[in-house]
Structures are given as C-alpha cells and as structure tokens.
Amino acid sequence: MSLLSRLFQKLHLSNTKEAIAKNLFWAVLGKLVNLFGGLLVGIIVARFLGPEQYGLMNYVISYVFLFQTFALFGLDSIEIREEARGQKSYSTIIGTAFFLKLFFGCCCILIAITTSWLMEADGYTTLLVAIYSLVVVLNSLIVIRNYFTAIVQNEYVVKAEISRTLISIVIKLILLMANANLTWFITAYMFDFVLLGTGYIMAYRTKIGSLREWHFDRDYARFLLKESFPLLLTNAAVIIYQRIDQVMIGSMIDKSSVGFFSVAAKFTEVLIFLPMILAQTITPILVKARERDIAEYNAKAQQFMNFSFWLSLLAATFVSIIAYWLIRYTFGTAYLPAVAVLQVMAFKAASVALSNTAGAMLVTEGLQRWAILRDGFGCIVCVLLNYLLLPRYGIMAAAFVSIASNIAAGYLVDALVPAYRHLFVCQTETLLLGWMDIKNIKSFFTKKSCC
C-alpha cells in the first residue's frame, strides 16, 4: 500500500471520497510540478536566449496555441462527460474523438503555416511556426488523459506529465551546454509533446488496453461535433483574450517586447494558480451545501468569493512590491523592463479570482449556457483595446488590458445578463466588504446558514 493510500485510510473516507481525494491530489500535484517546472525552464532559456530571441519563441508558441484551440474543437469536456456516463463504448468515444482531433489538427497546421507565411516578413519565423505547429497534431492524444479523468484515475497520466517535465528540463540544459540556437529550442518544446503523448500511450496500454481497439463511428462523430460546437466558441473566446496579447505585441511592436511581457506573464500564471486551487478545493463544498440548503449555499458562495478575491489581491500586492528583485534575481538584468509590466499584471490574479469564483457558481447552479456572452465580450474588449492602445503605450497597455478584459468578461457582463445578475451583486459585495470575511475563513468549512 502506498503512503498516499495509508494517509487516506487514516482519514476513514468512503471509497468514492477516497477516489475523488486521490484524483484531486494528483491533479494539483501535476499542475504544481508543470507550473514551477515551466517557470524554471523559462528562466534558464530566457537568460540564455536574451529578450529578442525569447520573445520570438513565445510569439511562435502563442501563435500556434491559438490554432490548437480550434483543433481541439471543444471536444474534451464532451468526451469526459460521455465517458463518465458510460452509455457508449469507451473505445468508440476515444477513437472517434481522436480521429476528429487528428483531422482538425492537420487542417489547423496548414492554416497556421499559411497565415504565418502571408503575415510575416521573414521566412525564419514561419519555419519556427511550422516546427512547433506539430504539437497541434500531437495534442490529439489528450483523449487518453480525458479518459483517465472520466474514470477518476488521474494518477497515471499525471506521473507521465511529471516525467515529461523533468526530462524536458534535462533536454533544455543539454541544449544550453551545447550553445544551441533558437531552432533547437523550439524543436525541444515541440518534443515535449512527443514525450507527453508517449507517456499517455504507455499509461493507457498498461492500465486499459491496446490503442488498436479504438474505432471511428461516423454517426457518433456528428453527435460529438454538435455537442461540442458551443464549447468551441466559448473556449476560442477564452484562449483568444488570454493569449492574443503576445501575438499582437509581436506583430505591432517587436519580438523583444514579447519577451518582456512573457516574463511578467510567467509569474502571473503562478499567481493565478491560487484562485484555481481554491476553486478546485471549495467547489465540492458548494455543491453539497446547495443540495442541503440554499441559504447555506448562498452564505458559503459569498465567503468563497471573498476569500478567493482578497487572498489573491494580497498575493498580487506582495508580488508587485517585490517585482524588481523577483525579475532581477531570476531572469536577470536584461529583463528589467518587465518589472513595470509585472507590477501591473500581478493584479490580474485578483480579476481572475473574481471571474472564476462567479464561474464556479454559475456551473454549480447550472447557468453555464450563457457563458459564451462573458467570454465573447472579454475577447472583443481584449482585441479592441490592444489594437487601439498598443501602438501608443506599448506593453504597459497590454498589461492593463489583460486585467480590463477579465473584469469585462467576468464582472461587467454579469450585470447585463439577467440570469447572472445575482453574481454581479455578490461580486460587488466582495469588492466593497469582502475583506472583512478573511478573518472568518475557518467558518467556511462548517455549516452556517445565511442571514
């Protein structure tokens, strides 16, 4: 028996609760390792390449990432839902989803390379896009991860992801010692997905069976496409307003500016992890509270939002204060222009907390059908403001816009959509009075009715 199993055994959890707790543990562990591993690799590579080359690398990655969203076609959530229901053979679900993603991936690679060739003045950037765009096809193997998620066995795929991260660090270090150029680093980042896909396949063959059992069902493909299309629109809007800034900076300013902005974004991603973890931990409590008593749910939901926003705001303030030393002693003096950007972007964590906690509530309450309005509006605000402000104010504009688009999508829209108006009221109360609840954090985990 593993140490983790013995620990959960001492907690006297039921089999179902133990499976959920283990799944959450591995999901969080995998995210932490990948997040901090990515930050470490980013620091090492950035110091070696310098702002211009590092900026070009991040431009290419962000550019391809936009197309990757369309290749996935919103199928992930639908695949997991259908596999959890168990109404169709898992080999049919996985096989159909895989071949759909493979087809869309090939199409998106061609579009990514073609558009890059038409837009970019130099062929070298297009070459890098062509190399890295292979991840769009390789990412089709995420169907395996989705299946393990559906059967609540994240442990096996997370181990593959952790192994990928550790091997990736070693490869990047070897390239540094070999004084390799940017092409090799882009190839190495693409190879990360080869490693990841190999790990997924090994986990599947060890625990489930042969990939030869997968088969494509044309009728079922039409069903999956019909179900996933609304999610494609939502996911595309989210990805665009979360990633388009680096692409626009590279196109409208220069690649060095992308490098500075990317450095600030790396630390911001770590900060955003705080409200994500809070949401993963507390959402099950909200679901059970709503089943027991609506008044209790309302009270806990408000507390949840208060804790998430104000703890994120405190963390963002701290990072903003130490931004100079943080960048100076990690990425180095060459990236000091990123300090002012980080001092602003750190507060994106608070805006994400305000948006995500409301998002968790609308899913708990079954109101996600209007989510496209939130994400679509955020996308429009992000692209429009960046287009208007980037040429005049540079990457500082992008830092403020990243916060403004989150506020627009996750707060202002809630005031405009009748079904979400109660969320807007909760969010406004959080902004004005939520700080008073921090001292009562222990009360969240006890039964408490709303007054």
Side-chain angles (χ1 to χ4, degrees), residues 4 8 13 16-26 152:
L4 186 61
F8 285 124
L13 299 175
T16 301
K17 289 183 177 179
E18 182 176 337
I20 294 173
K22 283 184 177 178
N23 207 50
L24 179 61
F25 168 80
W26 284 107
V152 198

Side-chain angles (χ1 to χ4, degrees), residues 56-361:
L56 176 56
M57 185 184 75
N58 279 277
Y59 171 82
V60 169
I61 291 174
S62 296
Y63 182 81
V64 172
F65 198 82
L66 296 177
F67 293 92
Q68 184 173 309
T69 305
F70 291 96
L72 295 176
F73 208 84
L75 285 165
D76 290 341
S77 298
I78 302 301
E79 180 198 343
I80 293 171
R81 185 194 72 186
E82 293 302 305
E83 287 165 348
R85 285 177 174 175
Q87 297 176 354
K88 191 81 172 178
S89 166
Y90 72 87
S91 59
T92 299
I93 299 173
I94 298 176
T96 304
F98 173 75
F99 286 110
L100 284 173
K101 289 180 179 181
L102 199 60
F103 171 74
F104 288 127
C106 291
C107 293
C108 286
I109 285 178
L110 293 175
I111 296 171
I113 295 173
T114 302
T115 53
S116 176
W117 179 71
L118 292 173
M119 292 192 310
E120 290 295 332
D122 64 297
Y124 183 57
T125 301
T126 301
L127 172 64
L128 297 180
V129 168
I131 294 172
Y132 190 73
S133 64
L134 292 175
V135 306
V136 178
V137 169
L138 294 169
N139 209 37
S140 300
L141 288 168
I142 201 173
V143 294
I144 296 176
R145 192 192 203 292
N146 294 339
Y147 180 66
F148 277 102
T149 299
I151 61 176
V152 198
Q153 292 186 21
N154 269 345
E155 173 183 355
Y156 306 107
V157 292
V158 168
K159 287 180 178 178
E161 291 168 355
I162 292 174
S163 299
R164 182 280 305 264
T165 300
L166 297 177
I167 295 173
S168 174
I169 293 173
V170 173
I171 291 174
K172 305 302 188 303
L173 290 175
I174 292 173
L175 291 177
L176 288 175
M177 290 185 288
N179 200 32
N181 61 27
L182 179 58
T183 306
W184 283 104
F185 280 97
I186 286 289
T187 304
Y189 275 96
M190 181 275 293
F191 187 69
D192 288 347
F193 287 82
V194 175
L195 293 172
L196 188 60
T198 303
Y200 286 162
I201 291 172
M202 291 174 62
Y204 186 88
R205 293 182 63 182
T206 301
K207 297 297 177 181
I208 309 298
S210 173
L211 273 65
R212 294 180 180 179
E213 298 174 352
W214 296 0
H215 65 273
F216 180 81
D217 186 313
R218 184 178 298 178
D219 293 332
Y220 195 65
R222 282 195 288 267
F223 167 77
L224 288 180
L225 292 176
K226 180 181 177 182
E227 291 290 303
S228 62
F229 184 70
L231 292 178
L232 166 66
L233 298 177
T234 300
N235 292 344
V238 171
I239 294 302
I240 288 173
Y241 84 76
Q242 294 290 349
R243 286 279 188 162
I244 195 67
D245 43 19
Q246 295 189 37
V247 176
M248 294 183 73
I249 290 170
S251 299
M252 300 175 70
I253 306 178
D254 54 52
K255 301 303 187 290
S256 295
S257 296
V258 180
F260 300 137
F261 189 84
S262 298
V263 166
K266 287 287 185 185
F267 289 109
T268 305
E269 287 172 8
V270 176
L271 276 174
I272 289 173
F273 185 62
L274 174 62
M276 288 176 60
I277 286 295
L278 286 173
Q280 286 182 340
T281 305
I282 294 173
T283 297
I285 299 175
L286 290 181
V287 172
K288 291 185 177 181
R290 194 166 192 268
E291 291 174 352
R292 285 194 303 263
D293 180 62
I294 294 297
E296 180 189 349
Y297 163 76
N298 290 334
K300 289 189 179 296
Q302 185 66 64
Q303 287 181 309
F304 168 34
M305 189 174 290
N306 294 346
F307 299 150
S308 184
F309 175 79
W310 283 96
L311 289 175
S312 297
L313 185 63
L314 289 174
T317 302
F318 176 72
V319 170
S320 183
I321 292 171
I322 67 168
Y324 173 82
W325 296 277
L326 202 57
I327 291 176
R328 168 68 178 81
Y329 295 108
T330 54
F331 285 87
T333 54
Y335 291 90
L336 287 180
V339 170
V341 181
L342 178 57
Q343 288 175 328
V344 173
M345 274 192 72
F347 292 95
K348 180 180 178 180
S351 68
V352 169
L354 195 67
S355 174
N356 281 8
T357 49
M361 289 171 63

